[in-house]
């Protein structure tokens, strides 16, 4: 993911994914090479899945919506 905007907030480099600086083709190529030669990326995909399940689920969104509604009342 490009190391800009929400990408850097959602991805922890080399733990839940990979970040690269925009306009840096060499950095992106290096990351793609690293992915190609990795024997096992299961730990990264599992960490990403765990992060997504923890922060992007109906309960979390429901609580955020409830909080916003209560602030408006």
């Amino acid at each position: 993911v490009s190391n800009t905007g929400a990408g850097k907030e959602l991805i922890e480099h080399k733990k839940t994914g990979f970040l690269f600086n925009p306009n840096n083709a060499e950095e992106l190529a290096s990351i793609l090479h690293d992915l190609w030669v990795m024997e096992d990326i299961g730990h990264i995909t599992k960490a990403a899945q765990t992060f997504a399940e923890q922060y992007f689920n109906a309960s979390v969104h429901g609580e955020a919506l409830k909080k916003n509604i209560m602030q408006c009342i």
Side-chain angles (χ1 to χ4, degrees), residues 5-65:
K8 61 185 175 185
E9 296 173 7
L10 299 173
I11 303 297
E12 189 174 352
H13 188 63
K14 294 187 178 183
K15 292 188 179 179
T16 59
F18 295 87
L19 295 167
F20 68 93
N21 292 306
N23 302 319
N24 189 336
E26 290 178 11
E27 185 177 19
L28 177 57
S30 176
I31 290 169
L32 292 173
H33 175 266
D34 291 347
L35 284 168
W36 183 262
V37 298
M38 275 186 181
E39 290 186 21
D40 180 23
I41 62 168
H43 62 286
I44 294 172
T45 57
K46 181 62 179 167
Q49 180 179 4
T50 300
F51 177 84
E53 289 170 350
Q54 183 177 359
Y55 293 101
F56 301 102
N57 62 60
S59 179
V60 169
H61 288 292
E63 287 299 317
L65 180 59

